[in-house]
């Protein structure tokens, strides 16, 4: 029975997410895809064409619930490696399972809901020909107030920087959207661009309030294809070198020069080399 108010339902959903061990959850009404929220650049609506709106995919949707799971920094630091490869698969599977459970929970409560896959493409060759999925979880996470975009076109979060994976649930339940902070978390350090092995990221940051240039998704996808053949995909370099995120302090990694300077960090570089030497083709 639908007896609860929108606010009480939202609290119940958040409690359910907490039971599932989800550290990140955000809510975005479908209207945020139709009209950029106040304070956002008007060009934002052009980032998401109509066919990628949630209501174009599930017409009954009222709210998009976005959930996120972190990828621990010390494991990402070994990338590309079999270690990060296995972690990536684990987090993806967990996201699918938890999103499925949340959707079923809401449907049983009388609010028909569906979960979305965390990726939404069949093979890397598909992305090379057409580097798009049918729905963008990172844009949904932005509209749900979970972070801001970095130069590498990945969502940056205060808690984990770009080291978090997202997926979404479309629900017919109406809930109040979470506020969009509007804070730009990117430090303009350009580390992601400088360290990118295939130079897929523009190395000059655009003027303030302008749209960041898109990354070269084809270059990125082709590198992923190469790494998949070696069993050590995904690449992960642009997200491991990003200085944003409280997780850097948690794991004692506040000094991001650890990735470009071996002197003083020998034990870390030796550890990464060891992990990278096993379990995959080189």
């Amino acid at each position: 029975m639908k007896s609860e108010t929108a606010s009480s339902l939202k609290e119940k959903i958040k409690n359910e997410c907490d039971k599932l061990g989800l550290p990140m959850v955000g809510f975005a009404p479908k209207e945020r895809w139709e009209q950029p929220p106040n304070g956002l650049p008007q060009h934002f609506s052009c980032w998401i064409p109509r066919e990628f709106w949630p209501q174009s995919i599930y017409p009954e949707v009222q709210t998009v619930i976005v959930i996120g799971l972190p990828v621990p920094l010390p494991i990402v630091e070994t990338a590309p490696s079999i270690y990060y490869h296995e972690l990536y698969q684990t987090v993806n599977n967990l996201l699918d399972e938890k999103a499925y459970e949340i959707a079923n929970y809401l449907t049983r409560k009388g609010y028909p809901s569906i979960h979305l896959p965390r990726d939404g493409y069949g093979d890397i060759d598909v992305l090379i020909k057409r580097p798009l999925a049918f729905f963008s979880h990172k844009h949904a996470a932005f509209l749900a107030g979970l972070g801001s975009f970095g130069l590498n076109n990945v969502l940056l979060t205060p808690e984990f920087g770009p080291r978090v994976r997202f997926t979404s649930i479309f629900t017919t339940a109406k809930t109040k959207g979470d506020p969009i902070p509007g804070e730009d978390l990117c430090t303009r350090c350009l580390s992601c661009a400088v360290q990118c092995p295939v130079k897929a990221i523009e190395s000059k940051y655009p003027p303030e309030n302008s749209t960041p240039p898109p990354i070269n998704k084809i270059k990125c996808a082709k590198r992923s294809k190469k790494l998949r053949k070696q069993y050590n995909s995904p690449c992960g370099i642009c997200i491991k070198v990003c200085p944003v995120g409280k997780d850097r302090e948690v794991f004692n990694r506040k000094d991001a020069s650890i990735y470009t300077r071996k002197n003083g960090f020998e034990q870390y570089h030796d550890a990464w080399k060891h992990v990278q030497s096993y379990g995959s083709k080189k």
Side-chain angles (χ1 to χ4, degrees), residues 1 12 21 29 47 55 76 106 112 128 147 197 203 210 217 222 231 242-243 269:
M1 294 291 293
K12 289 180 179 179
W47 294 8
Q55 53 269 52
V76 182
L106 285 165
I128 291 175
S203 59
S210 63
K217 294 182 179 180
K222 286 183 176 180
Y231 304 105
C242 179
H269 285 260

Side-chain angles (χ1 to χ4, degrees), residues 73-85:
L73 179 56
I75 302 179
V76 182
E77 287 176 333
T78 69
S81 69
I82 191 66
Y83 198 179
Y84 181 43
H85 174 82

Side-chain angles (χ1 to χ4, degrees), residues 41 43 182 184 188 205-212:
H43 64 247
D184 186 354
R188 273 68 169 172
Y205 210 90
E208 190 174 356
N209 295 325
S210 63
T211 306

Side-chain angles (χ1 to χ4, degrees), residues 7-8 53 63 75 77 84 113-114 144 151 231 241 266 268 275:
S7 59
S8 66
W53 293 0
T63 304
I75 302 179
E77 287 176 333
Y84 181 43
S113 305
I114 58 173
L151 183 62
Y231 304 105
V241 301
E266 289 87 356
Y268 298 101
V275 173

Side-chain angles (χ1 to χ4, degrees), residues 145-214:
L146 294 177
S148 68
F149 282 94
L151 183 62
N152 61 349
N153 201 35
V154 173
L155 199 80
L156 308 180
T157 66
E159 300 89 346
F160 310 108
R163 293 165 291 277
V164 57
R165 297 280 291 156
F166 296 106
T167 197
S168 307
I169 300 99
F170 290 174
T171 180
T172 57
K174 287 188 176 182
T175 67
K176 185 178 180 181
D178 288 325
I180 300 175
E183 179 186 4
D184 186 354
L185 297 174
C186 184
T187 65
R188 273 68 169 172
C189 69
L190 299 179
S191 292
C192 59
V194 173
Q195 297 297 318
C196 178
V198 293
K199 305 302 178 187
I201 305 169
E202 179 60 54
S203 59
K204 291 184 180 179
Y205 210 90
E208 190 174 356
N209 295 325
S210 63
T211 306

